Amino acid sequence: MKKRTMAAIAGILLLAGGASAAYLASPTIHKGNDGEAPELGRTGDYSIGTYSETLPLPDRTEITAWGAISGSLSPVERSVDIRFWYPSSTGTSGEPAQYRHDIEYPGEDDVPVSTQGIAIEGATPLADERFPLVIMSHGYGGWNAHYSNLAEHLASRGYVVASISHGDAPVNGITSFYLSFGNVLADRSHDQRQVYDALMARAENRETRLGNSIDPQKVALIGYSMGGFGALASAGASYVYDGQSMSNLPTAQQAKLTALTAKPLPLKAMIAFAPWGGQPDNRVWSADSLAKINLPVMLVAGNQDDVVNYQEGVRWLFDNMGEADRHLLTYREARHNIVGNDFDVSDTPAFRAAEYLKEPVWRQERLNMINQHFVTAFLDLHVKGEAEKAEYLDVPVPDSNASAWEIGFGEQLNGRFAGPEEKDHWRGFQRRWAVGIDLERKPAGE
């Protein structure tokens, strides 16, 4: 009896093996694509150049220790480093950029991080063509090449990108933290606005090497964390001062910020990754002030974000931007570090570097591919006016896991992207690869 049972099992395995071998040896092959990136997350057709410069910001002030006590502000000579990425002339000679940065930790060794780019340092901008401008603004303690992968991607698809290094003051104690963070609260939107003004003057007067490349009528703003905090204010949401952090700003600074945020920048669109400022204990807006934002907005966040509070912070922002046509892209099981280069920090002694740069569950490169896909679709639609890109945002179901794409037995798709004929699947994703994310939309007035 036992021998007959074993023989039967062996026969089943043999048949299964034969079926599997036939499946692998003669599948139905469809034309597809190499690599795992979704359709719009792939590098575009333009060659890319990059360079850096220092931009002075006139008539600025800062919060000092005395100012925090007295309520006054001190004049300061402020400047920011800007790194640009842009479509460049083909055949430009030069080396691809290597983006290096040292993360400073007081009392510990610096942590060096770097990314190998594809943009050519100092390449000549493409002549006789103007492109939309995207201003990028980093999180607390970040720098302008933290998201060079996203910036290079956008440049390859026909955008000029200007990424700001805000120069946040380092922290080595409680007092220095309050001063550093207080100045971040005061400076983010102001920096974004002054960079915008400077670049618009260059575009309108066709000055400097990118003056001819920027279309001053098509501008978008992308901010991460504290950069997102500034971006919402730059887009029109004036601050309130009854929250824990904003109430501690000097009275002179509160008055200055009230005047500064009274008028929004004339943006075509705004994207905020994990924006700070919606969480109940540090809420810096009211529902009324958020309702002043009336441009297309995309929020991107992890549903386990314990820095900005996804449920009561980011979702509260999303729900209360009632005059904005808005999307919320959510990474399930992700925390705060949902954007940024895939830095290797495996050999650094300070685990805090990994906590600052990495996600516990998601691969950083996978996040970047998906970010690039949706950022491209959103900006192409709202900034370039490419109406067909709405199909990548108007997903058939908010839960990506519920996407459906029926195929026959043994049929392989070879990485083919879902197109208009796959109406039940997220557009631009390969079958089975749209998982772990949600995309919601609320139109203006809802």
Side-chain angles (χ1 to χ4, degrees):
M1 185 71 175
K2 185 175 181 181
K3 289 182 179 180
R4 288 197 298 270
T5 302
M6 292 301 293
I9 293 173
I12 292 170
L13 291 173
L14 181 61
L15 288 171
S20 177
Y23 173 76
L24 293 173
S26 58
T28 302
I29 299 295
H30 295 263
K31 184 179 180 181
N33 303 275
D34 294 332
E36 65 172 286
E39 184 179 357
L40 301 182
R42 302 186 176 217
T43 303
D45 296 331
Y46 288 99
S47 299
I48 316 165
T50 184
Y51 74 92
S52 295
E53 70 170 88
T54 299
L55 182 69
L57 304 180
D59 303 321
R60 295 299 292 269
T61 57
E62 69 173 345
I63 304 169
T64 63
W66 169 246
I69 298 172
S70 66
S72 61
L73 301 173
S74 299
V76 65
E77 292 186 6
R78 181 166 175 78
S79 63
V80 292
D81 291 333
I82 309 289
R83 180 166 279 277
F84 294 95
W85 290 267
Y86 48 90
S88 67
S89 301
T90 56
T92 302
S93 61
E95 294 296 321
Q98 181 84 19
Y99 308 109
R100 296 183 175 88
H101 180 74
D102 289 334
I103 303 176
E104 298 180 12
Y105 294 117
E108 300 179 25
D109 292 338
D110 292 350
V111 177
V113 293
S114 66
T115 299
Q116 178 59 57
I118 59 174
I120 301 300
E121 194 77 54
T124 303
L126 196 62
D128 302 323
E129 190 170 355
R130 309 196 88 173
F131 301 94
L133 171 67
V134 178
I135 298 172
M136 294 177 64
S137 180
H138 62 71
Y140 186 37
W143 65 99
N144 57 18
H146 188 172
Y147 328 107
S148 61
N149 60 326
L150 179 57
E152 288 190 337
H153 177 79
L154 289 174
S156 80
R157 287 185 167 267
Y159 293 86
V160 173
V161 180
S163 186
I164 308 168
S165 266
H166 293 278
D168 302 335
V171 174
N172 56 17
I174 296 297
T175 300
S176 65
F177 169 74
Y178 280 121
L179 291 177
S180 173
F181 195 70
N183 280 301
V184 170
L185 295 173
D187 288 338
R188 271 303 188 273
S189 182
H190 204 167
D191 286 355
Q192 293 166 6
R193 290 165 181 269
Q194 287 193 302
V195 169
Y196 170 89
D197 289 341
L199 297 183
M200 288 305 96
R202 294 181 183 186
E204 290 164 4
N205 298 322
R206 295 183 178 269
E207 296 174 347
T208 74
R209 73 172 95 176
L210 285 178
N212 285 321
S213 299
I214 295 172
D215 184 343
Q217 303 304 315
K218 296 179 179 179
V219 184
L221 177 59
I222 297 177
Y224 166 57
S225 194
M226 295 309 298
F229 153 84
L232 265 69
S234 294
S238 53
Y239 298 124
V240 296
Y241 299 96
D242 50 7
Q244 181 176 324
S245 293
M246 299 298 276
S247 64
N248 289 324
L249 291 177
T251 53
Q253 186 62 73
Q254 293 183 15
K256 187 175 180 179
L257 282 174
T258 298
L260 181 75
T261 57
K263 183 179 179 181
L265 288 179
L267 303 169
K268 290 290 187 183
M270 187 269 288
I271 299 173
F273 287 91
W276 187 92
Q279 60 274 30
D281 55 343
N282 263 309
R283 188 163 287 168
V284 302
W285 296 287
S286 65
D288 288 341
S289 63
L290 288 173
K292 296 177 182 178
I293 298 177
N294 59 6
L295 75 165
V297 172
M298 175 175 280
L299 303 181
V300 187
N303 74 348
Q304 299 300 315
D305 194 322
D306 52 353
V307 174
V308 299
N309 189 333
Y310 172 78
Q311 197 62 43
E312 297 177 283
V314 178
R315 290 205 66 93
W316 180 84
L317 294 173
F318 178 67
D319 289 338
N320 284 281
M321 291 185 197
E323 297 305 311
D325 185 345
R326 59 213 187 271
H327 285 81
L328 173 60
L329 176 65
T330 301
Y331 292 102
R332 295 198 288 272
E333 300 308 317
R335 291 200 182 275
H336 191 62
N337 303 327
I338 53 167
V339 64
N341 295 347
D342 186 20
F343 297 109
D344 181 8
V345 292
S346 57
D347 295 331
T348 60
F351 183 71
R352 66 170 77 180
E355 284 192 306
Y356 183 71
L357 299 170
K358 297 283 189 179
E359 275 296 316
V361 173
W362 282 81
R363 285 183 293 126
Q364 214 71 27
E365 60 181 342
R366 181 63 181 165
L367 289 169
N368 292 338
M369 293 172 185
I370 297 172
N371 287 336
Q372 289 165 190
H373 174 81
F374 283 113
V375 168
T376 299
F378 186 78
L379 295 182
D380 283 358
L381 172 63
H382 294 295
V383 180
K384 290 186 177 180
E386 297 178 0
E388 68 276 11
K389 296 299 173 61
E391 297 179 8
Y392 296 87
L393 299 166
D394 296 338
V395 292
V397 286
D399 178 357
S400 64
N401 294 29
S403 282
W405 185 346
E406 296 300 324
I407 62 172
F409 176 75
E411 185 178 12
Q412 292 184 351
L413 299 180
N414 195 30
R416 185 162 66 87
F417 303 126
E421 62 277 12
E422 284 79 43
K423 297 186 182 301
D424 296 326
H425 198 273
W426 281 28
R427 177 74 183 271
F429 280 80
Q430 303 90 333
R431 184 179 180 274
R432 301 177 62 247
W433 283 73
V435 289
I437 47 183
D438 299 290
L439 182 60
E440 304 166 62
R441 182 194 173 201
K442 288 191 176 185
E446 183 177 320

